[in-house]
Every structure is written in structure tokens, then in C-alpha cells.
Amino acid sequence: MSEKGAEKKFQSTSGIEIKKLYKYTKSNDEEPGVPPYTRGVYSEMYRQRLWTMRQYAGFSTAEESNKRYHYLLNQGTTGLSVAFDLPTQIGYDSDHAFSEGEVGKAGVAIDSLKDIETLFNGIELEKISTSMTINSTASILLAMYIALAKKQGADLKKISGTIQNDLLKEYAARGTYIYPPKSSMKIITDVFEFCSKEVPKWNTISVSGYHIREAGSTAAQELAFTLANGKAYLKAAIEKGLDINVFAKRMSFFFNAHNNLFEEVAKFRAARRLWAGITKELGATDPRAQMLRFHTQTGGSTLTAQQPYNNIVRVTIQALSAVMGGTQSLHTNGFDEALALPTENAARIALRTQQIIANESGVVHTVDPLGGSYFVEELTDEVQKAAEEYLNKIDEMGGSVNAIEAGYIQNEIASSAYQYQREVENGESVVVGVNKYETEGSEVGDLLSIDDSIRQVQMDKIKQLKADRNSEKAESCLKTIEEAAKNDSNLMPHIIEAVETHCTLGEISDVLRKVYGEYKG
């Protein structure tokens, strides 16, 4: 919002001017469940089945995280979502020097198949959908999950879930990459190819706009850059010989939800419409291959350390936008996450927020509840138009990989982040409790803290693992991965064999570092 004299002008986060009154003249007789899916990917939406209620969780050791998963399942969560610590994300075991100070902090520490077995102890993988927020080491974590499913006697054709596996946004916005972009794309498409045959219900990529938005993008930029990355993955899969009508059905997306409720709803509606057009343009003829299915997480960057209970209200608004925008699954942040990992109390309130929306608000009783609103329909068009301008520019540059290597996407995000920060600092954008309506003193009680002794626990586990395993067989498996990487074979069968032989995540990552090198940015 800006002010000029007595006249106020209102804008969305994407710089779209908001009019005083809308008189939408364009007719919209679209039905949900059919392309271009503006009004939803299923004809009945939540009237038939609610979204999957996931609570993102993972901290400390696999034992501690397993306790939280059982707690959340007992509280009514309907899908698991795993957070991994930083060493796991960038391919280092807990005993590596680079891991010091980070083990178990941002998520759960996973070094080997033994940790995955502990993480999911008492949980039947065939009966639960699991989402894993992991990228550079996604192939290894998926291999461990598959190995555990096999040990449980599960039918691999029935296990379901998602790995994020989206490296392009790592180069653009987040930074937990290991290998250069082209090598990463090779590993990603190996996962696509393997799962299409062996684990057909698994979503092999969750193209993530979440971290793009967390880095400071606008809603329109989040949408455009995410779909541009999705387009790049589609093209890579097609070049590998995969059928878009098969492969595209196993792609999913991961979006952020911020506080501007109507713009967020418009963003989700425009996303489906744009993706239907992109997939059709690239040859998808099956309507289900033109569907954009997505997970939503409420905005971590919107949470404030000041007056943290205000975050419950923010999360509620954001969750409402995701539901009214037609999400397929949802994670709601804990109110204390600007200060620490969420306590059980904060996680329960976050889950109850979803359950209250589902059972008490009435917004699930009709499909696309804001459809037909003059404001929302025109805003959907405007967000789409703003995103298309970025998509066209990226196409002119030769696609996402080229745009990232040229620094274009990173610079656009940085510029938006800087602009927003200036608006907060000069008071043009109000953040309640931060630059207006401030109070002194802390309002929150106990916080969850992770002891540094966790690293020693993990180091002891690794030492015992290596003493107990067949060292010759482990070394042979690692050599096989190296050869497969050199001759461009599909890596997944060899990685699965390696984790079953108790090779560690760091050992496998190091072999691939040896072949592919590391990306320095």
C-alpha cells in the first residue's frame, strides 16, 4: 500500500494494483476436475475427500523423531513429512568435520539404513504416505525408504509419497546443492525412470516454489519460477525417452502460503491453469498428465519472534488460502518456529488449525468457494499475466538452467526481497508486533532445544555400523556406483544395493562427488 496526498493506492505483493471495486465481465463456466483445472483438479474436491494433513517434523535422532511421528499420528495427522538436518541434506555423515554443530538441529540426522529403520519403527510404509523434503541426496534417502519397505514385505507398487528432488530451486534460492546442475539433472531423471517402473505410485519430484518465496520472491515470481523449473524437468524427462503422459502424472508441486489471502488463492488457481497449458504444449494428451497437484506449507518467513502467538492467526489465514485455493496436502507451521523447532504443543495447535478449518468453517462444503468473485477471478488473470511475462523471458533465455546460470532468477528474487525489507523498515508494509503495535517482554514459554551431544550418539552408531557390516561388499557396492556414474547408467538400483549393504549416505555422496565434482555457485 502506498500513499500520495490523500489518495491511497493498494497493491498485491506482486505489484498488481488493487481496485476499489471489481466488475468482472468475463464469463467463467469452467468445471472443476477437467482441464485447465482453474477451479480444482477433482470434480468433488473436499466434499469427497479432505486434503492430506501433514505436519513437517524431524529433529535430533531417529529415535526422537519417531516419537513425534507417533504423537502426530495419534493426534490425527494423515501423512508424514520428514525434515532432515543440514549434513544429511548436503551429503555428509554426522562424523564428518563439516557436520559439527549441525547434527540433528534443522531436522533429523540420517546416516544409514539403520537410522531409517529406527525413524519409521512401528509405522507400516504401505499404509502411510510420506513426504521427504530432500534434494541433493534425494536418491539416497529414497533408496533407504525402498530398502525398508522391502524389509517390511511391502508391495513397492503400493507405497506412496513424495521426495522433493528439486535441485533447480536450490541453485536459485536455497543453496543445499552438491553437484553441478547438469549432473544433478541426470540423477533426478534416473529417479524418474526407476520409479516409473518400480515404484509407480511415488511422486518423484515436488517442484518447490516454497523456498523461492522464503528467499523473498513475490507471489507471481514464486509461481513463474516454479513452473519454469517444472517445465525444465518435463523436457529433461522427455529427452530421456520417458512418456509425458506417464511421467507428468507423478510430478507434484510445493507452494508457499502467505498472508495476502486473495492473492494466494488467485496464485493457486492460476498455477493449475498455466500448468495445464504447459503440459499440453509439450505433448500431454491425457487430462491427468495436465493436472497440477500441490502441497502447501504456511510461510515460515512470515512468522515473527516478536509476539509469537500472533503467528497462530497468520497461519490460520495462510491455511485458509491453501484450502480455498484447492491444495492436495497441507502443513501448518508452529507458532514458535521463529524461535526454535516446534514444541509438541505448537505442533498440536498447528494441526488443530487444519482440523478446525476442515470440520467447522464450512469452506470444504463447496468446490472453489471463491470462484466467481469478481475480485478473485480478475486477480487470477492478473497473477497469471504477471507469471507469463517471467515465463516468456526465461524461455527466451533457453529455460531455467540457463536463467539460473546467468543469475537472472536469483537477482529477481533478491531485488524483491530488498524492496519488501525497505517497505517494512519505512513502515509502508505493516508487520504487527514488529513495526507497529509493539510490546516488550517475552510471551512464550519453554522452547525445544537440541543438545550437541546428538553428534556423538550418531558417530558411535556409524562406528558400530562399519564394524558390523561386510566391508568388502560395501566397498564393491561403492565401486559399482562410481562405474555407473561414469558410464551414465541409471544409479538407483546400485544405490539401493549399497544402502542395503549398509553403506552410509556420506560414502555414497562422496563417490558421486568424485565423479561429478561439486558446484561452487
Side-chain angles (χ1 to χ4, degrees):
M1 184 176 75
S2 63
E3 196 169 331
K4 184 181 179 183
E7 180 188 348
K8 289 183 179 179
K9 289 186 178 179
F10 295 82
Q11 290 183 332
S12 75
T13 71
S14 303
I16 297 166
E17 186 176 348
I18 306 301
K19 303 173 189 175
K20 181 180 77 172
L21 186 67
Y22 284 82
K23 297 180 179 179
Y24 194 76
T25 56
K26 178 181 168 185
S27 64
N28 184 355
D29 57 358
E30 287 181 20
E31 293 289 329
V34 293
Y37 301 112
T38 308
R39 308 202 66 189
V41 290
Y42 303 117
S43 61
E44 293 288 317
M45 288 301 291
Y46 310 132
R47 289 164 64 91
Q48 187 172 74
R49 178 184 173 187
L50 292 174
W51 63 92
T52 301
M53 297 182 191
R54 298 189 190 278
Q55 284 307 116
Y56 186 49
F59 58 91
S60 185
T61 61
E63 290 88 349
E64 289 301 311
S65 292
N66 176 261
K67 292 176 187 175
R68 177 65 65 88
Y69 294 156
H70 281 286
Y71 172 79
L72 290 169
L73 289 168
N74 288 335
Q75 293 297 316
T77 193
T78 53
L80 296 178
S81 186
V82 185
F84 299 95
D85 72 359
L86 188 58
T88 303
Q89 292 180 48
I90 55 177
Y92 292 116
D93 288 334
S94 297
D95 60 359
H96 195 286
F98 290 173
S99 299
E100 188 172 355
E102 294 292 344
V103 176
K105 294 290 180 72
V108 62
I110 299 294
D111 294 309
S112 72
L113 177 59
K114 294 278 189 187
D115 287 327
I116 286 287
E117 290 171 353
T118 303
L119 186 67
F120 293 102
N121 183 39
I123 299 169
E124 293 183 59
L125 302 192
E126 197 175 297
K127 294 182 179 178
I128 195 78
S129 169
T130 303
S131 174
M132 296 191 281
T133 303
I134 195 71
N135 296 285
S136 294
T137 53
S139 58
I140 303 170
L141 271 300
L142 177 60
M144 291 179 182
Y145 194 87
I146 289 170
L148 175 58
K150 287 165 68 177
K151 285 190 79 169
Q152 288 187 354
D155 182 350
L156 295 187
K157 299 284 195 279
K158 292 181 180 177
I159 66 167
S160 64
T162 304
I163 46 170
Q164 196 162 99
N165 202 24
D166 173 11
L167 263 297
L168 291 179
K169 70 95 176 45
E170 295 294 327
Y171 302 112
R174 190 160 175 262
T176 63
Y177 45 71
I178 302 175
Y179 319 110
K182 288 183 173 59
S183 299
S184 292
M185 290 293 278
K186 189 266 183 218
I187 299 170
I188 289 165
T189 54
D190 280 356
V191 173
F192 294 167
E193 184 179 50
F194 176 83
C195 289
S196 67
K197 298 170 185 172
E198 306 297 332
V199 198
K201 289 185 72 177
W202 193 268
N203 295 321
T204 51
I205 191 166
S206 176
V207 189
S208 176
Y210 186 83
H211 303 99
I212 290 170
R213 193 68 174 281
E214 290 293 285
S217 79
T218 66
Q221 287 172 336
E222 176 195 358
L223 175 55
F225 300 154
T226 305
L227 296 190
N229 289 347
K231 192 172 182 179
Y233 293 127
L234 277 181
K235 288 183 173 180
I238 291 167
E239 286 172 12
K240 201 173 180 75
L242 300 181
D243 183 353
I244 190 171
N245 284 311
V246 175
F247 163 71
K249 293 175 190 172
R250 298 269 50 97
M251 285 183 76
S252 65
F253 288 79
F254 175 20
F255 288 115
N256 211 315
H258 275 212
N259 292 326
N260 192 318
L261 186 142
F262 293 106
E263 184 179 36
E264 295 301 300
V265 172
K267 179 187 74 180
F268 299 134
R269 298 173 92 245
R272 285 190 291 268
R273 188 190 291 169
L274 281 165
W275 187 246
I278 288 168
T279 50
K280 188 175 182 181
E281 179 188 325
L282 291 176
T285 54
D286 187 330
R288 291 178 299 160
Q290 297 172 17
M291 272 185 193
L292 183 145
R293 295 167 300 115
F294 67 99
H295 169 71
T296 311
Q297 181 174 337
T298 56
S301 62
T302 70
L303 302 178
T304 63
Q306 301 92 329
Q307 301 178 32
Y309 289 110
N310 293 346
N311 294 328
I312 297 173
V313 181
R314 293 185 177 104
V315 167
T316 303
I317 292 168
Q318 294 163 10
L320 267 172
S321 78
V323 171
M324 291 194 286
T327 194
Q328 275 61 69
S329 71
L330 177 61
H331 163 83
T332 34
N333 289 332
F335 69 85
D336 54 2
E337 287 189 57
L339 298 162
L341 291 169
T343 58
E344 281 194 356
N345 180 47
R348 183 175 63 251
I349 291 170
L351 177 59
R352 292 289 183 259
T353 301
Q354 294 197 49
Q355 292 165 336
I356 289 168
I357 290 171
N359 294 284
E360 298 184 27
S361 72
V363 298
V364 302
H365 296 163
T366 188
V367 179
D368 190 25
L370 292 181
S373 155
Y374 296 153
F375 178 34
V376 170
E377 293 293 354
E378 187 162 327
L379 193 55
T380 300
D381 292 346
E382 290 292 328
V383 171
Q384 178 180 349
K385 181 181 174 184
E388 283 175 332
E389 289 176 5
Y390 279 112
L391 285 164
N392 291 337
K393 177 136 191 172
I394 292 168
D395 280 345
E396 288 168 9
M397 298 176 74
S400 271
V401 175
N402 289 351
I404 289 166
E405 289 179 341
Y408 170 71
I409 292 176
Q410 299 94 308
N411 290 339
E412 289 296 307
I413 295 170
S415 177
S416 294
Y418 175 70
Q419 177 66 29
Y420 174 71
Q421 188 59 35
R422 283 190 62 186
E423 290 172 0
V424 172
E425 288 175 3
N426 66 28
E428 190 175 348
S429 289
V430 173
V431 182
V432 173
V434 175
N435 64 359
K436 199 169 185 179
Y437 313 114
E438 301 101 318
T439 57
E440 292 184 9
S442 174
E443 300 179 10
V444 71
D446 293 338
L447 298 172
L448 181 64
S449 62
I450 306 300
D451 197 298
D452 282 330
S453 64
I454 296 302
R455 184 175 184 233
Q456 188 59 53
V457 172
Q458 289 299 115
M459 289 169 69
D460 291 344
K461 287 182 186 177
I462 293 169
K463 186 177 180 181
Q464 190 63 52
L465 178 90
K466 290 181 178 179
D468 292 344
R469 74 185 181 185
N470 184 324
S471 298
E472 271 186 36
K473 192 170 181 184
E475 201 57 46
S476 173
C477 285
L478 293 171
K479 189 67 179 172
T480 301
I481 291 173
E482 182 180 348
E483 293 304 314
K486 286 178 178 176
N487 65 32
D488 215 29
S489 298
N490 192 304
L491 294 171
M492 279 303 296
H494 309 299
I495 294 175
I496 292 170
E497 184 179 9
V499 301
E500 289 176 330
T501 313
H502 300 296
C503 294
T504 68
L505 175 136
E507 288 174 324
I508 296 168
S509 298
D510 282 345
V511 167
L512 297 177
R513 281 186 180 94
K514 181 179 174 184
V515 177
Y516 297 135
E518 293 187 75
Y519 183 68
K520 300 302 181 186

